[in-house]
């Protein structure tokens, strides 16, 4: 009997368990047996559950189900386990009388308990096909049953599914985990605001752009869900290619009752849909995964009241379309997503409702995964399916990133993809191999601050052919532009700094074999070393900008066991810069690593070793590790002297730095001798106004001050300042040293106004050069506090002291001599305020620090002992006061010059104590020694020394030696001693 073709297209949908090989084989056999039926019915269309290029998404399968006239369910245990969604939709359509259902039993199941038991199944005898001896007979029986239904459908008239006046919803709802949507509120607000604004009758188009897996589709879905009441129609079309868009538009044509003749011509049915959109009010069209922007013109009318939302990988550059970049989640949002995904938190719960330790683990994992939504989803799926904690996953990720980034997880829809797959496809799309090489180089740099100019400048260190590409601005810009178009890198606001998403960095590195990773790590180190400058004041800003890249290279050197000279040089400069920033632990780590590389390199230069030793010695001095610093500077000096000669500037630099240690240890005479030697050679070889001469003059001035030679100290300081002001910018931190020195001299003389001017100028320079949290700034602030104490402004002094102390303890540690200095000065302030108990505790802390750091016989120890003794004099503890004052005197007489003013001060105060106890003979002897020193000390003298002669004369009068008393007073008048000021807190 002949069968005529139906008057309308008939659509069959075959649902089966695509994950089962046996079910798939049965499906394929059924298709072969149906081939004759298809030849009799040319308009017969057949779709199925398989996800392939023609049917790549659940949304499209849903649409095919929605359009089906006949739904065939190939049942088995695997079908009932995996195809619940398709079966449920089929039953709904049956209830609505929209489709016929034919169950086909492939394999035995408990049919009487199945939801399909009410339907007559095929084969017609009720036996599953697998039970038939001749399987072909069984399939023929099935096809005949199907043909009867098709004949019945063919005899019916064509009935439109929907009229154009009805609402159209071609939209796949989100997967379950999409309901955990977080951290995209601002993006949604931007989308809503844009579409709500006036567009002058033109179709409003907004593009969500970003890397695959960053969550663009989820954002689009969330907008559809939350804004559905604003639209009469919502259309979601896959626009990843023209073929895919054509497939979706064809399905849409079913909804819009487009005639078959029009649908056979692609151009005509695109035009039909475009016209429908032009005439239709209040619609939203989502073009998902669009890459070819010309597809927009095929379907989107220029003028309409509708809105178009694009999701695309590359940033949009087309005029009239707003581009909205989508980036990774922030730490809190990513943690919230993970905890909701793992059902540790309910969908609407906040992070505060989770245990603190769990939140911490989640945040650490989000940091490791760069907040990348797909990577977070993969982590959640892995933990849900295989168990374990967030901490377990983080540990595993650090060990096996490639495996976890490739892990798709188990999903019945077979739709899940992995980070590795998405990014691998994008890398394979790069047509120029050099662009991929450039990307690999970038993967071994710090991903957040890749500076284009740094690439050009350092590119000369790369191997060809990449060197030619990177050092040419034009070819580099073109290559970076290509990477940017693929969203593999992004530009920051100023256009000179690039960023590489960390998850992309992870994937790139994991793709490389071990030796290739080491190769690119070496290239990155060479590039950055070429650009990281020698550390000077004028290069500090550049060093700061390049710091992340240098620190990243230090990690590469360690992780890949690199041993190049370039790496050693970079580490030495990095360590020196960290020392300047008061990052002392990092500085030591880098400098010791540099020294090791230099010492173990086959063709090392001893001068490089000496330079690194010099930098390490300076660091140890800053940390008050004086013995280590002395040993290292001595070694550097020997290397330089042996290689360059005794008078070479580098040899003199080592001697200068070694001499600073002598001064720190109280060896003032040796220090003075060395500084004068260095000064003479520097003036001869470099000229009298060279900045290095000023450096030596500054240290010489400090040494003179410590020796009590104040006039010589002032002369050295003034000359140093004059040279600096000629050769350095006004903001150079070198100026702070003579400024502080001259300020201290002015304060000593009671010229507080001049001292304030000098101290304030130094403080301003420190703030600008170092910032607030730096020992140099703290030292300068301590000077201002001391001046405030001298001027009686105790509240200001107390505030400044505390700020300075906090910074020094934070940067230098609580056992550093600079901390002891501030504690000593705080104690002096407390004594002024008659807070004697607090003063004693502060002096004791300072004394302990000095004794450990400098030894028990250092002048600084003597100063604290003397001050503490004077405190006990005030409180009436004469016995303890005498013991401390005698100990201070003994140290000063041992380590200081015999005519040092501090010895006169100790003698005078001890004599006063004994005189007050009427121990006149002992007191008279001490007064006599003090007065002898007094006559050799130039004015102005310390108040304790300046007042001593009158107390001496009074004792002589009490001993009935009036003539001697008169002689003492006459000698004092001849000295023309000015009126003594309040004693400053700083001792000599």
């Amino acid at each position: 009997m002949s069968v005529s073709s139906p008057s309308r297209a008939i659509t069959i949908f075959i649902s089966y368990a695509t994950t089962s090989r046996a079910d798939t084989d049965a499906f394929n056999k059924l298709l072969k047996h149906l081939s004759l039926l298809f030849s009799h019915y040319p308009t017969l269309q057949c779709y199925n559950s398989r996800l392939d290029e023609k049917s790549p998404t659940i949304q499209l399968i849903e649409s095919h189900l929605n359009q089906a006239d006949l739904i065939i369910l190939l049942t088995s245990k695997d079908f009932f386990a995996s195809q619940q969604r398709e079966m449920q939709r089929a039953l709904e359509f049956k209830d609505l009388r929209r489709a016929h259902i034919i169950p086909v039993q492939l394999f035995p199941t408990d049919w009487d308990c199945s939801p399909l038991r009410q339907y007559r199944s095929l084969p017609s005898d009720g036996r599953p096909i697998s039970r038939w001896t001749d399987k072909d007979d069984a399939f023929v029986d099935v096809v005949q049953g199907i043909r009867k239904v098709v004949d019945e459908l063919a005899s019916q008239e064509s009935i439109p599914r929907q009229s154009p006046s009805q609402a159209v919803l071609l939209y796949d709802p989100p997967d379950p985990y999409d309901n955990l949507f977080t951290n995209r509120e601002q993006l949604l607000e931007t989308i809503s605001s844009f579409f709500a604004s006036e567009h002058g009758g033109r179709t409003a188009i907004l593009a969500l752009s970003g890397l695959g897996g960053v969550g663009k589709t989820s954002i689009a879905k969330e907008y559809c869900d939350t804004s559905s009441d604003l639209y009469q129609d919502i259309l979601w079309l896959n626009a990843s290619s023209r073929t895919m868009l054509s497939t979706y538009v064809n399905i849409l044509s079913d909804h819009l009752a487009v005639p078959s003749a029009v649908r056979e011509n692609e151009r005509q049915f695109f035009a039909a849909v475009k016209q429908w959109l032009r005439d239709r009010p209040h619609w939203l069209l989502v073009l998902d995964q669009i890459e070819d922007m010309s597809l927009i013109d095929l379907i989107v009318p220029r003028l309409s009241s509708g809105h178009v939302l694009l999701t695309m990988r590359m940033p949009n550059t087309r005029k009239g379309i707003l581009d909205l970049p989508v980036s990774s989640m922030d730490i809190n949002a990513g943690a919230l997503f993970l905890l909701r995904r793992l059902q540790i938190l309910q969908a609407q719960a906040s992070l505060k409702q989770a245990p603190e330790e769990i939140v911490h683990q989640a945040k650490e994992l989000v940091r490791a995964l760069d907040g990348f939504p797909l990577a977070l989803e993969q982590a959640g799926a892995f933990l849900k399916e295989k168990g374990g904690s967030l901490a377990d996953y983080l540990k595993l990720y650090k060990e096996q990133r490639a495996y976890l980034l490739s892990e798709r997880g188990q999903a019945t829809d077979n739709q899940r993809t992995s980070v590795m797959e998405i990014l691998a496809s994008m890398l394979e799309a790069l047509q120029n191999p050099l662009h991929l090489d450039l990307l690999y180089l970038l993967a071994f740099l710090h991903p957040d601050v890749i500076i284009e100019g740094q690439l050009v400048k350092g590119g000369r260190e790369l191997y060809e052919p990449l060197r030619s590409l990177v050092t040419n601005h034009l070819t580099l810009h073109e290559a970076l532009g290509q990477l940017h178009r693929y969203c593999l890198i992004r530009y920051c606001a100023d256009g000179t700094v690039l960023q590489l998403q960390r998850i992309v960095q992870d994937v790139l590195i994991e793709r490389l074999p071990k030796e290739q990773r080491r190769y690119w790590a070496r290239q990155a180190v060479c590039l950055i070393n070429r650009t990281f400058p020698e550390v000077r004041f004028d290069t500090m800003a550049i060093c700061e900008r390049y710091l992340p890249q240098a620190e990243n290279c230090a990690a590469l050197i360690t992780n890949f066991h690199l041993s190049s000279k370039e790496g050693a040089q970079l580490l030495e400069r990095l360590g020196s810069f960290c020392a300047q920033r008061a990052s002392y632990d990092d500085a030591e780590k880098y400098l010791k690593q540099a020294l090791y590389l230099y010492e173990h390199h086959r063709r090392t230069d001893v001068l490089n070793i000496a330079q690194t030793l010099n930098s390490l010695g300076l660091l140890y001095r800053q940390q008050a590790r004086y013995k280590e610093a002395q040993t290292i500077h001595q070694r550097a000096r020997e290397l330089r002297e042996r290689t360059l000669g005794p008078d070479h500037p580098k040899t003199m630099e080592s001697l200068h730095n070694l001499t600073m240690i002598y001064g720190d240890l109280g060896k003032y005479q040796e220090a003075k001798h060395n500084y004068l030697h260095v000064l003479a050679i520097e003036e001869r070889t470099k000229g009298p106004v060279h900045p290095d001469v000023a450096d030596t003059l500054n240290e010489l001035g400090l040494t003179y001050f410590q020796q009590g030679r104040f006039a010589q100290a002032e002369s050295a300081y003034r000359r140093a300042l004059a040279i600096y002001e000629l050769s350095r910018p006004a903001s150079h931190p070198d100026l702070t040293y003579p400024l502080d020195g001259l300020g201290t001299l002015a304060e000593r003389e009671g010229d507080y106004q001049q001292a304030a001017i000098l101290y304030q100028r130094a403080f301003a320079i420190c703030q600008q050069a170092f910032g607030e949290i730096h020992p140099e700034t703290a030292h300068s602030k301590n000077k201002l506090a001391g001046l405030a104490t001298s001027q009686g402004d105790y509240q200001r002094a107390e505030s400044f002291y505390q700020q300075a102390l906090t910074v020094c303890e934070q940067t230098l540690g609580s056992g550093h001599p600079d901390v002891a200095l501030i504690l000593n000065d705080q104690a002096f302030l407390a004594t002024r305020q008659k807070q004697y108990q607090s003063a004693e505790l502060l002096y004791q802390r300072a004394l302990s620090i000095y004794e450990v750091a400098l030894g028990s016989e250092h002048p600084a120890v003597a100063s604290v002992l003397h001050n503490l003794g004077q405190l006990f004099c005030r409180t009436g503890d004469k016995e303890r006061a005498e013991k401390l004052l005698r100990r201070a005197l003994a140290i000063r007489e041992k380590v200081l010059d015999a005519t040092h003013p501090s010895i006169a001060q100790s003698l005078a105060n001890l004599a006063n104590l004994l005189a007050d106890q009427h121990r006149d003979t002992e007191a008279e002897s001490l007064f006599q020694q003090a007065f002898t020193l007094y006559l050799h000390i130039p004015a102005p003298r310390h108040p304790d020394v300046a007042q001593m002669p009158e107390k001496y004369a009074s004792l002589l009068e009490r001993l009935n030696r009036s003539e001697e008393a008169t002689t003492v007073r006459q000698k004092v008048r001849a000295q023309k001693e000015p009126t003594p000021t309040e004693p400053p807190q700083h001792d000599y």
Side-chain angles (χ1 to χ4, degrees):
M1 183 177 77
S2 64
V3 180
S4 61
S5 296
S7 59
R8 66 181 179 91
I10 297 174
T11 301
I12 298 176
F13 186 89
I14 304 176
S15 177
Y16 70 100
T18 59
T19 56
S20 166
R21 174 171 291 184
D23 288 29
T24 301
D25 290 343
F27 164 74
N28 291 329
K29 288 182 180 180
L30 177 60
L31 284 184
K32 291 179 181 179
H33 281 276
L34 286 171
S35 60
L36 288 174
L37 181 63
F38 293 148
S39 66
H40 278 284
Y41 290 101
T43 60
L44 197 63
Q45 296 179 340
C46 184
Y47 301 101
N48 61 76
S49 303
R50 184 167 55 210
L51 295 166
D52 55 22
E53 292 184 358
K54 293 184 178 180
S55 179
T57 66
I58 288 295
Q59 177 192 345
L60 201 50
I61 289 175
E62 185 82 8
S63 178
H64 292 324
L65 264 172
N66 189 43
Q67 296 300 307
D69 299 290
L70 172 60
I71 301 175
I72 301 172
L73 308 176
L74 306 186
T75 66
S76 67
K77 60 180 176 53
D78 292 310
F79 174 85
F80 287 120
S82 64
Q83 299 300 97
Q84 290 289 327
R85 180 174 179 174
E86 291 179 9
M87 182 176 65
Q88 187 60 41
R89 293 291 284 162
L91 295 178
E92 291 173 4
F93 295 154
K94 174 64 177 177
D95 292 340
L96 296 172
R97 297 183 178 180
R98 292 173 53 186
H100 292 264
I101 292 180
I102 299 179
V104 175
Q105 296 190 61
L106 299 180
F107 300 97
T109 60
D110 188 358
W111 187 257
D112 291 337
C113 292
S114 79
L116 302 176
R117 62 184 179 277
Q118 59 181 310
Y119 300 101
R120 174 174 289 185
S121 66
L122 295 174
S124 57
D125 66 353
R127 283 187 303 152
I129 292 175
S130 63
R131 293 283 177 87
W132 285 53
T133 304
D134 189 329
K135 303 297 188 295
D136 284 332
D137 287 345
F139 278 109
V140 169
D141 183 84
V142 170
V143 170
Q144 288 173 348
I146 293 171
R147 182 169 183 170
K148 288 179 182 179
V149 177
V150 172
D151 289 342
E152 180 184 343
L153 291 171
S155 65
Q156 298 174 359
E157 293 183 4
S158 177
I159 301 174
R161 297 275 176 180
Q162 285 182 315
S163 66
S165 62
Q166 294 175 301
V168 175
L169 179 66
L170 184 59
Y171 169 60
D172 178 36
D175 289 334
Y177 60 82
D178 283 329
N179 294 328
L180 309 177
F181 191 86
T182 57
N183 187 233
R184 304 302 197 190
E185 291 78 10
Q186 188 172 355
L187 289 170
L188 289 174
E189 184 178 340
T190 301
I191 297 171
S192 298
S193 299
F194 174 74
F195 284 146
S197 61
E198 177 59 42
H199 296 280
R202 302 176 69 90
T203 304
I205 308 177
L206 182 144
L208 295 171
S209 63
L211 201 59
V214 81
K216 304 181 297 293
T217 297
S218 292
I219 295 168
K221 287 181 177 181
E222 184 71 9
Y223 177 74
C224 291
D225 285 345
T226 57
S227 305
S228 58
D229 58 332
L230 301 177
Y231 299 102
Q232 182 172 328
D233 310 303
I234 297 180
L235 312 175
W236 187 292
L237 307 182
N238 185 315
S240 57
S241 67
R242 182 172 180 135
T243 301
M244 191 62 66
L245 181 61
S246 180
T247 302
Y248 272 79
V249 172
N250 196 17
I251 298 168
L252 180 58
S253 300
D254 289 337
H255 286 274
L256 306 182
V258 175
S260 298
V262 172
R263 292 172 58 177
E264 292 175 1
N265 185 306
E266 184 186 70
R267 184 182 60 80
Q268 289 184 7
F269 78 70
F270 271 131
V273 173
K274 187 173 184 179
Q275 182 61 48
W276 183 87
L277 291 172
R278 184 181 294 112
D279 297 338
R280 192 83 167 173
H282 310 305
W283 51 264
L284 172 65
L285 170 62
V286 180
L287 295 179
D288 193 23
Q289 303 177 50
I290 188 168
E291 293 188 10
D292 182 359
M293 299 297 283
S294 67
L295 298 181
I296 298 174
D297 300 326
L298 289 176
I299 191 171
V300 177
R302 189 173 63 87
L303 301 175
S304 77
S305 61
H307 300 157
V308 179
L309 184 58
L310 312 175
T311 69
M312 54 195 299
R313 188 171 53 189
M314 299 183 184
N316 170 67
T317 57
R318 183 166 171 170
K319 185 178 180 181
I321 299 177
L322 176 66
D323 184 68
L324 187 57
V326 179
S327 57
S328 294
M329 293 180 173
D330 63 33
I331 299 299
N332 288 333
L336 185 60
F337 173 85
L338 269 178
L339 297 183
R340 290 178 179 177
R341 179 70 174 91
L342 295 172
Q343 297 180 341
I344 295 173
L345 290 175
Q346 297 299 314
Q348 302 304 317
S350 67
L351 281 179
K352 294 179 180 179
Q353 296 171 263
E356 187 174 335
E357 179 59 27
I358 296 296
V359 172
H360 174 73
Q361 292 179 13
K363 288 182 177 181
E364 288 301 304
L365 182 53
V366 172
R367 287 189 182 93
L369 298 176
D370 199 25
F372 196 65
L374 181 56
L376 296 176
E377 164 54 28
Q378 283 181 238
F382 182 93
L383 292 174
K384 286 291 288 183
E385 292 167 5
K386 301 185 180 180
S389 68
L390 292 163
D392 293 336
Y393 189 93
L394 178 58
K395 181 181 179 182
L396 186 61
Y397 182 78
K398 291 178 179 178
E399 297 170 353
Q400 300 187 48
R401 285 186 303 188
Y403 166 71
L404 291 180
L405 291 175
S406 301
E407 182 71 6
R408 297 178 62 180
Q410 299 173 359
T412 57
D413 56 20
N414 287 329
Q415 288 252 78
R416 188 173 296 163
T417 188
S418 70
V419 172
M420 192 69 83
E421 288 173 334
I422 285 179
L423 295 181
S425 66
M426 297 181 72
L427 296 178
E428 289 166 4
L430 291 175
Q431 298 179 353
N432 189 332
L434 274 181
H435 293 176
L436 185 58
D437 282 351
L438 175 60
L439 195 58
Y440 281 129
L441 173 66
L442 299 183
F444 285 85
L445 300 178
H446 191 291
D448 295 337
V449 282
I450 302 170
I451 302 169
E452 188 171 346
Q454 196 173 15
L455 295 176
V456 175
K457 184 177 179 181
R460 284 171 284 185
E461 296 297 317
L462 302 175
Y463 294 133
E464 290 290 4
L466 190 57
R467 178 198 299 170
S468 296
L469 182 145
V470 172
T471 54
N472 184 305
H473 282 277
L474 183 60
T475 57
L476 176 61
H477 190 70
E478 179 184 343
L480 293 174
Q482 183 72 3
L483 299 181
H484 180 249
R485 283 191 291 276
Y486 278 91
C487 285
L488 294 168
I489 63 170
R490 57 176 176 258
Y491 283 96
C492 294
D494 66 354
T496 64
V497 177
L498 314 169
Q499 290 182 332
L500 178 71
Q501 193 139 346
R502 290 176 185 270
I503 199 75
V504 175
Q505 183 184 44
D506 287 348
V507 169
L508 286 165
I509 293 173
E510 291 299 330
R511 283 167 55 93
L512 291 171
K514 185 176 181 180
E515 273 309 306
Q516 280 292 300
R517 295 181 195 180
R518 200 164 187 270
Y519 169 83
W520 287 113
R522 284 197 304 268
Q523 290 282 275
V525 170
C526 289
L527 183 144
I528 299 303
N529 177 61
R530 180 65 179 257
T531 62
F532 198 85
E534 183 180 347
V535 182
R536 302 187 306 270
F537 173 72
D538 60 314
T539 64
M540 290 292 285
I542 300 174
C543 291
E544 186 70 41
R545 193 178 189 205
Y546 292 172
L547 177 62
Q549 293 296 354
E551 290 177 326
N552 176 74
C553 284
L556 293 178
I557 292 168
T558 299
N559 296 339
F560 291 97
H561 307 290
L562 304 181
S563 57
S564 64
K565 289 189 294 184
E566 292 85 358
Q569 184 181 61
L570 177 60
L571 287 168
E572 189 277 325
R573 291 178 176 177
L574 175 59
S576 297
F577 179 66
C578 287
Q580 289 290 323
R581 300 173 80 244
S583 301
Y584 299 125
D585 290 343
D586 287 339
E588 182 177 11
K589 176 179 66 177
Y590 297 137
L591 289 172
K592 290 175 75 172
Q593 191 178 2
L595 183 62
Y596 177 86
L597 292 180
Y598 275 135
E599 289 179 331
H600 291 80
H601 197 276
R602 289 177 299 175
R603 296 187 298 275
T604 194
D605 186 339
V606 294
L607 294 179
N608 289 330
I609 295 176
Q611 178 59 44
T612 308
L613 288 168
N614 183 72
S615 299
L616 191 58
L618 291 173
L619 169 66
Y620 285 161
R621 178 178 178 260
Q622 287 174 304
Q623 295 177 296
R625 297 161 63 176
Y626 299 121
K627 290 184 179 179
E628 294 172 88
Q630 183 174 351
T631 300
I632 285 175
H633 278 309
Q634 185 61 47
R635 185 183 167 199
R637 181 191 176 192
E638 290 170 359
L639 288 174
R640 286 172 164 175
E641 187 170 347
R642 186 165 62 244
T643 307
L644 302 171
D647 293 346
H648 191 276
K650 285 294 182 181
T651 307
M652 288 298 99
E653 178 188 40
S654 288
L655 179 58
H656 176 279
N657 293 338
L658 180 62
T659 303
M660 289 195 295
I661 308 297
Y662 295 159
D664 294 327
L665 295 175
K667 301 176 182 179
Y668 303 134
Q669 192 62 31
E670 291 179 70
K672 183 190 76 170
H673 173 78
N674 284 351
Y675 283 136
L676 289 172
H677 174 67
V678 171
L679 183 64
I681 293 176
E682 286 178 335
E683 287 179 324
R684 186 181 75 242
T685 59
K686 299 179 181 180
V689 292
H690 194 279
D692 290 351
V693 171
D695 292 344
T696 304
L697 284 167
N698 184 68
E699 296 299 333
L700 183 61
L702 176 61
T703 302
Y704 282 141
F705 184 90
Q706 291 165 331
Q707 290 183 308
R709 301 180 179 184
F710 304 119
Q712 291 166 289
E714 182 175 0
S715 175
Y717 279 140
R718 290 196 180 282
R719 189 180 163 201
L721 182 60
I723 295 173
Y724 283 146
E725 288 179 329
L726 284 173
S727 59
R728 302 290 198 203
S731 59
H732 198 291
D734 282 355
L735 274 74
T736 62
Y737 303 117
L739 288 171
D740 275 343
L742 292 169
T744 303
L745 289 168
E747 183 182 359
R748 175 184 172 274
E749 295 174 2
D751 190 350
Y752 298 145
Q753 183 177 2
Q754 179 63 18
I757 293 172
L758 294 166
Y759 286 157
Q760 285 288 358
R761 185 180 168 192
F763 180 60
I765 293 172
C766 285
Q767 279 185 308
Q768 182 178 350
F770 304 114
E772 290 289 345
I773 312 301
H774 195 281
E776 294 292 345
T777 309
H779 173 77
S780 191
K781 188 167 287 189
N782 187 63
K783 288 285 190 181
L784 289 170
L787 181 62
T789 301
S790 298
Q791 294 176 309
D793 190 348
Y794 297 152
Q795 185 175 358
R796 184 167 182 258
E798 193 170 342
S799 174
F800 275 15
Y801 278 140
Q802 191 54 53
Q803 292 174 43
L805 180 65
T806 299
V807 171
C808 279
E809 288 182 325
Q810 178 181 336
T811 56
L812 299 171
S814 58
H816 196 279
D818 284 4
V819 173
L821 173 66
I822 299 171
L823 291 170
N824 177 72
D825 293 348
Q826 279 187 307
F828 188 89
L829 172 63
T831 302
R832 283 281 194 92
Q833 297 173 303
K834 298 183 179 180
Q835 298 172 1
Y836 299 135
Q837 188 174 2
S838 295
E840 181 182 350
L841 292 174
L842 291 167
Y843 277 137
Q844 291 289 3
R845 276 189 65 194
L847 182 61
S848 297
I849 293 171
Y850 275 144
E851 287 179 327
V852 171
L854 303 174
S856 59
E857 294 187 339
H858 193 278
V861 172
S863 293
V864 179
L865 289 169
H866 176 268
N867 294 341
L868 189 55
Q870 287 293 89
L871 173 66
F872 288 142
C873 286
R874 285 173 177 259
T875 59
D877 193 341
K878 307 295 184 182
E879 183 178 350
R880 293 175 71 187
E882 182 180 348
K883 182 179 179 181
L884 292 168
L885 290 175
R886 286 191 181 279
R887 185 181 165 196
L889 175 61
I891 294 172
R892 285 172 167 174
E893 288 180 327
K894 182 176 181 179
V895 301
L896 299 176
D897 292 343
T899 58
H900 198 285
S902 291
I903 296 176
Q905 182 191 33
S906 284
L907 289 167
N909 287 327
L910 182 57
N912 286 337
L913 175 64
L914 297 176
D916 289 343
Q917 298 177 70
H918 297 283
R919 296 162 62 180
D920 296 341
T921 302
E922 295 174 81
E924 193 270 338
S925 174
L926 294 172
F927 273 134
Q928 187 178 30
Q929 295 176 57
F931 187 65
T932 300
L933 290 177
Y934 171 91
L935 297 175
H936 291 87
I937 298 172
R941 303 172 179 87
H942 190 282
D944 293 346
V945 177
Q947 296 165 7
M948 177 271 300
E950 181 57 33
K951 293 180 180 180
Y952 179 29
S954 297
L955 175 64
L956 290 173
E957 288 177 334
R958 193 168 73 194
L959 295 174
N960 298 317
R961 294 160 61 181
S962 300
E963 290 184 5
E964 293 178 58
T966 299
T967 301
V968 167
R969 290 186 175 109
Q970 288 174 344
K971 289 182 178 180
V972 169
R973 284 193 292 271
Q975 290 284 319
K976 298 181 180 179
E977 177 72 57
T979 303
T981 59
E982 286 292 316
Q985 74 276 26
H986 298 290
D987 256 329
Y988 298 143

